[in-house]
Amino acid sequence: AANLTIFFIFSGSSVSNVALSVTRYSIEEEMERGSVVANLAADLGLEPGGLAQREVKLDIFHNKKYLDVNKKTGELYIVEKMDREYLCPIKTTSCFLKLDVIIESPLRIFNIELGITDINDNAPHFRRDRVELDVSESATPGERFSLPNGVDPDVGINTIKTYKLSVSEHFTIEIQTGSDGTQYVDLVLTKSLDREENAIHNLVLTAVDGGVPVRSGTANIIVRVQDTNDNPPRFDKQTYTINMTENSPMGTLVMKLNATDLDEGPNSEIVYSFTLYTSEKTQDVFALNPNTGEITVKGTIDYEDMKFYEMHIEAKDKGTHPLLGQCKVVVHVTDMNDNYPEITIQSVKNTVEENIPVGSVIALVGISDRDTGDNGNVSLSINQHMHFILNKSSDRPLHYKLIVSEPLDRESVPEYDITLIVSDAGTPPLSDNETITVHLLDVNDNAPQFPQPLYTIRVMENNAPGALLSSLTAFDPDLHENQYLVYFILEKEIANTSMSMLFSINPENGNLYALKTFDYEIEKEFLFHIEARDSGSPPLSSNVTVHIIIVDQNDNAPVIVSPWRAHGSVVEEKIPRSTDKGSLVAKVIALDTDSVHNSRITYQFLQVTDATLFSLDQYNGEIRTMRMFSYRDPRHQRLVVVAKDNGEPALSATVTIKLSTVETVVKAYSDMTEVPLEYDIFSDLNLYLVIGLGSVSFLLLITILVTIVLKCQKPKPSKAAPPCRNSVISERNSTIADSTLVSNDAYWYSLFLAETRKGKLVVRQPVPKGSRYIVSSLPRGTGLTDTSDSAASTLQVINKCSRVCIFIIYQY
């Protein structure tokens, strides 16, 4: 019992009397807080108000306050829920709490006993909720196995009343009561166990109390049935029949035996072995794995030696008292296609020329097979499409001819590996093969080929003699002497000069060299052919066109042809002092024989006496006055003009012109003084000049017609000569205005050359004193600008005729 002492101390009064008495109360456990146990003031004979007027002190045991007194009503009530199983840990039917109440003034002591009655607030439970038992399957019915007891902290009818077991055909329970009233449970075997039928039994044991409401607790009972060797190994068949082909490779699996034993552990482990009824010959051919039961081939199976084999096999377990089972395995041997067909090469040509005729025989082949039936039915074929076929011999069975079916080309395929395949009709079919190698000999059937039909080679003029221009290499796919090439320049004359005098080619490697230094102003291009010829018999050849283009260099300085002067001399000219602004004073004409780009001439003043007096056109060289002369201007003006070409680096030439101004118009100096006539003056003299020019034109037309006829009558050469661009007359784009300056014969000759280069003809006409001069210009359409040699000679004839006509007119 637990003791709880409560001291109520009322201050303000002295202790005058002490009384002891015992008062008993009874309550149920787990009553709610605030529940009234009893009216303590009434039971102690005290007035309810008397407790409220005094100060009350309460001393508590167990460090927890379960009860208290209402000072107004004097009622004893519950402060904290009471758990009987906690307050009375010793399991008994009665549980009391003793409390001492002390009241002072006068001093009185009261003893209170509080009885706590049990309620069914705890369910039964097992200390282990899972119990495992091992029971041998050989256990006899009636054997008992102890089970753990259930626990219920309640007392009386609220404690465990009975036990129950889940439904089982093999087990039941028996409940025994000890001398102290404790109940004990035993598990009893009611029926024999079979592990192979059910190896584990899952049972549920339930403990039930007698309280209201009824409470219960459960525990799982796992019964594991322990095996005993009570089952022998068993095969699924007593006799196994297997078909095996002869010559099966060693290690081939015949079959895998699978005996079963319902036991477990060592009792179910099986060992396989041959019995004494299995012959030694059979054991030499087949092997049996004792652990897995696999039967494999370990010897040679020959249908001709043995048609079938019998094996007697037993399976034994590893129990303490081993049990065994037996079976028989019959292996029937199936005949198979085990002989390979053969190929016999009777004759063969391993080397032939590539131009061998179609239909030629390359080899004679025979085939055979030692098997019979379909296994001996053989055929021959080529493994892939080639330029050969097989023809079966009509008089000799199983003999074939290998012949050429298509033209051969060594350059495409130099040799052939012809694989002949012989196969039979067995199951599975067997085959063999033989390879015949045919080498092709080369014949000269391919002409040399250049990579491109035309070679254009650009050569800078002023090249060094012997310089390498290019390498012209041809390719010949033939072999040996059929691919050895020799290079030639096909002879051709240009301007009476042979190509071999201008160029040279290395006959072995095709390197092309220049034998001379070329001048763009003389030769601008060459066109000829080079031939590559092999050394076969007969030799084959091909040629390629070579176009040599001479590239111009700026190697010619401009030449000043107008105004003409002796080398290093100064040109002196006279002009009227009254010359108007913009009048043409002089015209500088320079020529450059380089190409069009390099020969573009620009003119500049290098020195000038008065820069405000004269202007120079940089393109046509005209010097004109920028203003009229004044009395302050010097009478003599010195002009230095430089003519510069467009090359890189630029070349130039200079001319010094000394101009003198006169007060009057310049008269004719001599009979040979020449000035150009104005086109708008038409006199009788001009009429005769027109007649003379018409005669010259007629002579020119006759000359051109005769030249054309002669050219057409010449036989055509075997190979066309390249066009020659050597010309006496070059075409110029700029025009030269008519000059009004007085000059000498050199000026007229220079002017003639300059104008004819532009397609015009200047006719020089001496006239009587005091008369003017006529400069006539003929357009290029008259035919005077042809670039051929005949045009140059014709021009010379016309020049002479013109001089004659002009002389006649002059005499007139």
Side-chain angles (χ1 to χ4, degrees):
N3 295 325
L4 179 61
T5 302
I6 304 176
F7 295 92
F8 294 91
I9 300 175
F10 301 91
S11 60
S13 63
S14 61
V15 177
S16 59
N17 189 18
V18 176
L20 295 175
S21 61
V22 177
T23 303
R24 293 182 175 84
Y25 299 105
S26 177
I27 63 172
E28 291 183 349
E29 64 173 332
E30 301 293 338
M31 289 184 67
E32 297 295 330
R33 295 182 182 89
S35 300
V36 177
V37 177
N39 193 322
L40 182 64
D43 292 340
L44 295 179
L46 301 175
E47 292 295 331
L51 295 177
Q53 296 175 356
R54 300 173 184 176
E55 182 179 356
V56 178
K57 295 183 179 179
L58 179 63
D59 294 335
I60 301 172
F61 294 96
H62 297 295
N63 297 324
K64 202 166 187 180
K65 187 177 182 180
Y66 289 94
L67 298 174
D68 200 356
V69 177
N70 191 327
K71 295 179 182 181
K72 293 180 180 182
T73 61
E75 293 177 343
L76 181 66
Y77 63 94
I78 296 174
V79 178
E80 186 70 28
K81 283 186 178 182
M82 300 180 186
D83 186 2
R84 181 184 181 282
E85 287 76 25
Y86 172 73
L87 296 176
C88 301
I90 298 175
K91 188 174 182 180
T92 59
T93 57
S94 60
C95 179
F96 294 96
L97 294 180
K98 293 182 179 182
L99 295 87
D100 292 333
V101 180
I102 300 174
I103 302 175
E104 294 181 354
S105 300
L107 176 65
R108 296 182 64 183
I109 299 174
F110 297 93
N111 292 328
I112 297 176
E113 289 185 359
L114 180 64
I116 301 174
T117 59
D118 182 52
I119 64 174
N120 192 21
D121 59 341
N122 294 283
H125 67 277
F126 293 89
R127 291 186 176 88
R128 291 187 300 165
D129 58 357
R130 178 183 174 89
V131 180
E132 296 182 358
L133 298 177
D134 291 333
V135 180
S136 174
E137 67 174 327
S138 60
T140 58
E143 288 194 25
R144 308 171 73 87
F145 307 94
S146 297
L147 298 178
N149 293 336
V151 177
D152 192 336
D154 294 329
V155 296
I157 62 173
N158 295 327
T159 190
I160 296 175
K161 182 179 181 180
T162 186
Y163 291 91
K164 297 180 181 179
L165 184 68
S166 59
V167 178
S168 174
E169 61 176 337
H170 294 88
F171 295 96
T172 187
I173 58 173
E174 288 186 2
I175 303 174
Q176 298 182 6
T177 304
S179 59
D180 58 352
T182 302
Q183 292 183 340
Y184 300 95
V185 183
D186 291 335
L187 183 66
V188 181
L189 179 66
T190 59
K191 183 179 179 182
S192 298
L193 300 175
D194 187 358
R195 189 203 64 80
E196 290 74 30
E197 180 181 350
N198 192 358
I200 297 177
H201 296 266
N202 294 311
L203 307 176
V204 178
L205 178 63
T206 304
V208 182
D209 63 18
V212 178
V214 177
R215 296 178 180 272
S216 63
T218 62
N220 293 321
I221 311 299
I222 310 300
V223 178
R224 292 188 298 241
V225 181
Q226 301 298 308
D227 180 58
T228 58
N229 192 20
D230 57 347
N231 293 282
R234 296 182 182 276
F235 293 94
D236 54 357
K237 291 182 180 180
Q238 290 298 317
T239 302
Y240 296 91
T241 301
I242 304 297
N243 294 322
M244 287 288 295
T245 58
E246 64 172 331
N247 299 324
S248 294
M250 293 184 181
T252 301
L253 179 65
V254 178
M255 70 170 299
K256 182 178 180 180
L257 296 173
N258 187 20
T260 57
D261 193 324
L262 299 179
D263 295 324
E264 67 176 0
N267 297 330
S268 64
E269 296 178 3
I270 299 174
V271 177
Y272 301 90
S273 62
F274 290 116
T275 67
L276 298 177
Y277 297 105
T278 304
S279 65
E280 293 184 359
K281 187 174 183 180
T282 300
Q283 296 184 36
D284 292 338
V285 176
F286 299 97
L288 174 62
N289 190 311
N291 297 321
T292 63
E294 292 181 348
I295 302 175
T296 57
V297 178
K298 73 173 184 178
T300 302
I301 301 177
D302 191 356
Y303 175 82
E304 290 72 25
D305 183 25
M306 203 167 195
K307 302 296 187 294
F308 67 93
Y309 297 88
E310 280 190 0
M311 289 173 278
H312 296 269
I313 298 172
E314 67 177 12
K316 184 185 296 185
D317 61 29
K318 294 183 180 180
T320 304
H321 301 287
L323 302 178
L324 58 87
Q326 293 183 345
C327 73
K328 181 173 67 174
V329 178
V330 180
V331 177
H332 293 278
V333 181
T334 303
D335 188 23
M336 65 174 296
N337 186 22
D338 56 350
N339 292 293
Y340 284 85
E342 298 178 352
I343 298 176
T344 303
I345 306 297
Q346 298 175 351
S347 66
V348 63
K349 294 179 182 179
N350 295 109
T351 303
V352 297
E353 292 185 345
E354 62 175 323
N355 60 350
I356 183 173
V358 175
S360 300
V361 178
I362 300 298
L364 296 177
V365 183
I367 57 176
S368 61
D369 194 327
R370 291 180 299 170
D371 292 327
T372 58
D374 290 339
N375 296 333
N377 186 10
V378 292
S379 60
L380 184 66
S381 61
I382 300 177
N383 68 330
Q384 59 182 351
H385 175 72
M386 287 188 174
H387 294 66
F388 305 90
I389 59 174
L390 289 168
N391 279 351
K392 192 172 184 179
S393 178
S394 57
D395 53 345
R396 299 179 62 188
L398 303 181
H399 286 77
Y400 293 82
K401 293 180 181 180
L402 179 65
I403 64 175
V404 179
S405 62
E406 299 177 21
L408 306 180
D409 185 9
R410 187 208 62 80
E411 288 72 31
S412 300
V413 182
E415 69 176 22
Y416 291 90
D417 290 328
I418 308 170
T419 301
L420 303 178
I421 299 177
V422 58
S423 58
D424 57 25
T427 303
L430 297 179
S431 62
D432 195 6
N433 62 78
E434 188 76 25
T435 300
I436 298 175
T437 301
V438 178
H439 299 275
L440 300 185
L441 298 178
D442 183 54
V443 296
N444 192 24
D445 57 347
N446 292 281
Q449 296 294 328
F450 286 93
Q452 55 193 64
L454 172 65
Y455 287 88
T456 300
I457 304 172
R458 304 179 71 85
V459 180
M460 192 68 68
E461 69 170 330
N462 302 319
N463 59 292
L468 176 64
L469 303 183
S470 181
S471 181
L472 310 178
T473 304
F475 172 72
D476 193 324
D478 293 326
L479 292 178
H480 309 306
E481 67 275 0
N482 295 331
Q483 71 170 175
Y484 297 149
L485 303 182
V486 180
Y487 299 90
F488 305 93
I489 295 178
L490 297 181
E491 286 298 333
K492 176 181 179 182
E493 289 188 359
I494 297 179
N496 298 325
T497 302
S498 174
M499 282 294 104
S500 59
M501 297 178 64
L502 301 177
F503 303 97
S504 173
I505 190 169
N506 189 319
E508 295 181 357
N509 55 27
N511 288 343
L512 183 64
Y513 300 91
L515 296 181
K516 60 168 289 187
T517 300
F518 298 110
D519 188 356
Y520 173 82
E521 289 70 32
I522 300 177
E523 306 99 354
K524 293 184 174 52
E525 64 179 6
F526 300 94
L527 194 68
F528 56 93
H529 298 278
I530 289 179
E531 179 180 293
R533 182 183 304 165
D534 61 26
S535 302
S537 180
L540 300 177
S541 64
S542 63
N543 59 64
V544 67
T545 302
V546 179
H547 186 197
I548 304 293
I549 298 177
I550 307 301
V551 180
D552 180 47
Q553 286 184 333
N554 191 27
D555 56 347
N556 293 281
V559 177
I560 296 178
V561 299
S562 176
W564 185 90
R565 86 278 188 221
H567 181 69
S569 62
V570 178
V571 178
E572 295 184 0
E573 299 290 350
K574 293 182 179 181
I575 59 174
R577 196 170 182 83
S578 59
T579 301
D580 295 332
K581 176 183 177 181
S583 298
L584 179 64
V585 175
K587 182 170 185 177
V588 180
I589 300 176
L591 299 180
D592 194 325
T593 56
D594 289 324
S595 62
V596 175
H597 178 75
N598 293 329
S599 65
R600 293 176 183 173
I601 306 298
T602 57
Y603 303 90
Q604 296 175 357
F605 277 133
L606 191 61
Q607 294 180 7
V608 60
T609 302
D610 188 352
T612 64
L613 188 55
F614 300 101
S615 66
L616 174 61
D617 191 304
Q618 62 174 343
Y619 297 110
N620 58 24
E622 292 181 350
I623 301 175
R624 296 181 180 271
T625 58
M626 297 175 62
R627 59 180 175 81
M628 294 185 65
F629 288 94
S630 66
Y631 68 94
R632 296 180 181 178
D633 294 328
R635 296 181 57 84
H636 301 286
Q637 299 286 336
R638 186 173 183 269
L639 307 178
V640 180
V641 180
V642 60
K644 186 185 298 184
D645 62 19
N646 196 40
E648 184 65 35
L651 302 178
S652 63
T654 60
V655 61
T656 302
I657 303 175
K658 184 177 181 182
L659 296 179
S660 299
T661 58
V662 295
E663 298 296 338
T664 59
V665 180
V666 179
K667 303 296 183 179
Y669 293 151
S670 64
D671 294 341
M672 293 301 295
T673 302
E674 301 159 338
V675 293
L677 290 177
E678 299 295 338
Y679 288 108
D680 56 351
I681 299 176
F682 189 82
S683 62
D684 293 338
L685 182 59
N686 289 2
L687 178 61
Y688 291 106
L689 179 58
V690 172
I691 294 174
L693 291 178
S695 301
V696 172
S697 301
F698 177 75
L699 292 175
L700 174 61
L701 179 60
I702 295 299
T703 304
I704 293 174
L705 292 176
V706 172
T707 303
I708 294 174
V709 171
L710 292 177
K711 289 291 183 180
C712 294
Q713 290 181 352
K714 287 184 178 181
K716 292 183 179 179
S718 58
K719 294 191 179 289
C724 179
R725 298 190 180 181
N726 300 332
S727 175
V728 177
I729 303 173
S730 299
E731 181 178 356
R732 307 288 288 184
N733 295 325
S734 63
T735 60
I736 300 178
D738 297 332
S739 177
T740 60
L741 297 179
V742 178
S743 183
N744 50 25
D745 291 341
Y747 168 78
W748 280 106
Y749 180 70
S750 300
L751 183 60
F752 170 78
L753 291 179
E755 295 291 346
T756 53
R757 287 171 65 91
K758 294 189 232 177
K760 295 182 180 181
L761 179 63
V762 178
V763 181
R764 176 179 159 195
Q765 305 178 47
V767 296
K769 295 181 180 181
S771 301
R772 296 190 172 219
Y773 299 88
I774 298 177
V775 178
S776 178
S777 136
L778 296 180
R780 289 180 57 88
T782 57
L784 295 179
T785 59
D786 291 347
T787 59
S788 63
D789 294 339
S790 60
S793 60
T794 303
L795 185 59
Q796 295 175 1
V797 174
I798 295 171
N799 189 17
K800 293 178 181 179
C801 294
S802 300
R803 289 180 178 270
V804 173
C805 294
I806 293 172
F807 177 74
I808 294 172
I809 296 170
Y810 173 72
Q811 293 298 328
Y812 178 79

